[in-house]
Amino acid sequence: AQSVTQPDIHITVSEGASLELRCNYSYGATPYLFWYVQSPGQGLQLLLKYFSGDTLVQGIKGFEAEFKRSQSSFNLRKPSVHWSDAAEYFCAVGGGAGKSTFGDGTTLTVKP
Amino acid sequence: EAGVVQSPRYKIIEKKQPVAFWCNPISGHNTLYWYRQNLGQGPELLIRYENEEAVDDSQLPKDRFSAERLKGVDSTLKIQPAELGDSAVYLCASSLGGVPGETQYFGPGTRLLVL
């Protein structure tokens, strides 16, 4: 069975500081991996996804993520956080068509 | 282009009452998903449609939940009767064609509170 663990429930960073959100997955084959962002009262928006190829994936809003097969990880990074990045972030793993499993999310707070 | 539309945005009902949620996917998207998101958790898939066919409803509590997607466009999710534990956000998403790993586009969700 596929599963996703986001070890950090809540992270606080100062505006302008770098950010890394952790994601570990369990999947029997090469996974499809996703990061989504959810602002209060909004649906999820896709930041980036990985299928194959270059293990460093660029996404929208200046985010990137690195796939590390040996560590079963797909961590999300941003070099300089903006106040508007405050939101909840979800990592997801997918295999068969449409079958995605989401982690429980990490809430990001940005200090001025 | 309009995104995924859901209504209502909020619903408060008493337990044992019925409730229905409506979703209109992005035009041209053949695949439609219903998710439930409990507080502090990620979304969990309830049912997935390819056009009008439910191809994955293994997580749908069929004793009280039902869904339909007539004509393969918009969809309705119903709960009857609602229980306290059904309080959650119900998200609808759509994608082009059910290809593994394709992007899903989410609506804003319906927040249900069962008293």
Side-chain angles (χ1 to χ4, degrees):
Chain A
Q2 58 196 49
S3 67
V4 175
T5 301
Q6 294 182 245
D8 304 305
I9 296 174
H10 194 180
I11 282 184
T12 299
V13 299
S14 297
E15 190 168 16
S18 63
L19 170 70
E20 182 169 27
L21 302 181
R22 296 184 291 164
C23 172
N24 294 101
Y25 68 90
S26 174
Y27 191 73
T30 300
Y32 298 89
L33 293 162
F34 310 85
W35 274 101
Y36 290 86
V37 61
Q38 185 177 34
S39 298
Q42 303 297 314
L44 281 73
Q45 181 185 22
L46 182 69
L47 287 175
L48 48 79
K49 57 185 177 182
Y50 171 79
F51 299 151
S52 63
D54 192 346
T55 57
L56 185 62
V57 181
Q58 302 297 320
I60 62 171
K61 304 185 180 188
F63 286 93
E64 66 179 25
E66 185 171 13
F67 171 63
K68 292 185 177 180
R69 184 187 301 275
S70 61
Q71 298 177 20
S72 297
S73 69
F74 189 57
N75 295 348
L76 182 71
R77 301 194 294 246
K78 186 170 185 179
S80 178
V81 170
H82 188 263
W83 63 266
S84 60
D85 294 324
E88 190 155 21
Y89 292 80
F90 293 93
C91 180
V93 61
K99 191 78 173 181
S100 291
T101 299
F102 289 78
D104 285 337
T106 298
T107 301
L108 173 65
T109 298
V110 181
K111 292 191 303 183
Chain B
E1 179 180 319
V4 176
V5 179
Q6 292 188 245
S7 69
R9 293 293 309 277
Y10 305 92
K11 190 74 176 179
I12 300 174
I13 61 172
E14 295 189 346
K15 63 181 181 181
K16 302 185 181 179
Q17 294 301 306
V19 64
F21 314 124
W22 177 80
C23 172
N24 188 260
I26 292 173
S27 178
H29 281 196
N30 296 320
T31 306
L32 184 145
Y33 314 76
W34 281 104
Y35 290 88
R36 178 170 58 190
Q37 185 176 19
N38 293 315
L39 187 64
Q41 297 181 11
E44 295 178 300
L45 182 69
L46 291 174
I47 189 168
R48 175 170 64 93
Y49 283 93
E50 295 289 345
N51 298 302
E52 64 274 8
E53 181 182 1
V55 296
D56 184 354
D57 63 356
S58 57
Q59 300 303 310
L60 189 72
K62 297 181 182 65
D63 57 336
R64 298 184 300 106
F65 285 65
S66 64
E68 60 183 12
R69 191 184 184 197
L70 301 176
K71 301 181 181 179
V73 181
D74 55 352
S75 176
T76 302
L77 178 69
K78 299 179 181 178
I79 308 175
Q80 183 171 7
E83 297 179 352
L84 296 178
D86 296 330
S87 296
V89 176
Y90 292 83
L91 295 166
C92 179
S94 69
S95 63
L96 275 172
V99 174
E102 67 178 359
T103 299
Q104 297 182 27
Y105 297 84
F106 285 79
T110 296
R111 186 174 298 273
L112 173 67
L113 179 60
V114 182
L115 302 176

